[in-house]
Amino acid sequence: MVETEGRTWREISGRSSVFEPRAPYAVYLPRGDGVSVRAHTPSEIGVASAPGKGSSPARLIEPSTMKRFARGEGLNQRFVCDILPQTESADRLLVVEVVTPGGHSSSYPPHKHDTDNLPLESSLEETYYHRLNPAQGFVFQRVYTDDRALDEALAVEDHDVVMVPKGYHPVVVPYGYDSYYLNVMAGPAREWHFKNDPAHEWLLERKPTVGSI
């Protein structure tokens, strides 16, 4: 049950795992609203926040309203669920979750969104909350800028959070383990426009092949 200023949503049935192939429930709350959450069973709740004006009202976001789709091709394919996209009402937040199969790459080719240059690129800070299946696995994430003033390569484990203040931020998932991450983005304009790393943009023109060496 989720209870906030004059609103109560009961019997919100969630997933037993983020790796279940279905969308979650979510609740949007404006700035200043308090909230109480009570679960009938042991639960994990993701809380995403960003400074807001309080202009968008509290509401329950039903799984049926969320768009689920595949992105990328070949070993760059991953599976996306738009929880709170820019087409839905909110002050600042953009929220999406992604499942990447083992042996695949995600957020790839590397892209960035750290420059206010609409409509070509938007300035959005971002966090990645990672889960792994099985849980003892790990993935690799690199965060880097064109001038390499920021260049960090990370071995990321279950429940780790990676902050992306700027730069490109690809994820590579070793074979045998599936990756889930919850993305939270926010910036001056609530729009997602990104720029690919020019060195790797050629990958978008390459046709995926099976069984090649």
Side-chain angles (χ1 to χ4, degrees):
M1 182 180 74
V2 178
E3 187 174 8
T4 186
E5 313 287 333
R7 302 291 301 275
T8 301
W9 296 282
R10 304 178 185 276
E11 306 301 329
I12 303 174
S13 58
R15 303 173 296 193
S16 60
S17 167
V18 294
F19 291 96
E20 285 188 19
R22 60 190 181 111
Y25 279 87
V27 172
Y28 180 83
L29 300 174
R31 176 182 179 180
D33 278 18
V35 63
S36 172
V37 179
R38 282 182 278 178
H40 298 291
T41 59
S43 301
E44 182 176 9
I45 299 168
V47 179
S49 64
K53 301 176 183 178
S55 56
S56 297
R59 69 185 187 278
L60 177 67
I61 305 175
E62 301 271 2
S64 60
T65 67
M66 300 177 190
K67 183 180 179 183
R68 299 177 66 239
F69 56 96
R71 177 179 291 152
E73 295 182 341
L75 295 180
N76 287 338
Q77 189 175 70
R78 57 275 196 192
F79 301 94
V80 178
C81 178
D82 266 335
I83 297 173
L84 188 59
Q86 65 189 51
T87 53
E88 300 296 325
S89 174
D91 282 357
R92 293 286 185 222
L93 284 175
L94 294 163
V95 183
V96 63
E97 62 180 14
V98 179
V99 173
T100 307
H104 286 221
S105 299
S106 193
S107 294
Y108 200 82
H111 68 263
K112 73 181 184 75
H113 36 74
D114 59 13
T115 302
D116 187 8
N117 185 28
L118 295 172
L120 299 178
E121 185 179 354
S122 52
S123 178
L124 296 168
E125 295 182 341
E126 184 172 16
T127 58
Y128 279 65
Y129 170 63
H130 289 272
R131 299 296 310 275
L132 280 300
N133 183 33
Q136 71 269 25
F138 58 88
V139 303
F140 296 103
Q141 184 162 21
R142 184 184 182 193
V143 182
Y144 67 98
T145 55
D146 287 309
D147 62 4
R148 303 302 193 266
L150 172 62
D151 192 356
E152 297 289 340
L154 309 168
V156 181
E157 298 186 333
D158 197 38
H159 295 287
D160 281 352
V161 175
V162 174
M163 298 179 65
V164 183
K166 59 182 177 179
Y168 307 99
H169 39 276
V171 176
V172 177
V173 184
Y175 173 77
Y177 294 88
D178 292 333
S179 157
Y180 164 95
Y181 53 77
L182 179 68
N183 275 148
V184 180
M185 294 180 282
R190 196 171 170 270
E191 298 182 38
W192 185 56
H193 300 280
F194 61 87
K195 176 189 174 185
N196 292 314
D197 185 338
H200 304 292
E201 198 164 27
W202 66 271
L203 290 165
L204 297 173
E205 302 174 1
R206 181 179 180 181
K207 298 296 183 182
T209 58
V210 178
S212 61
I213 296 177

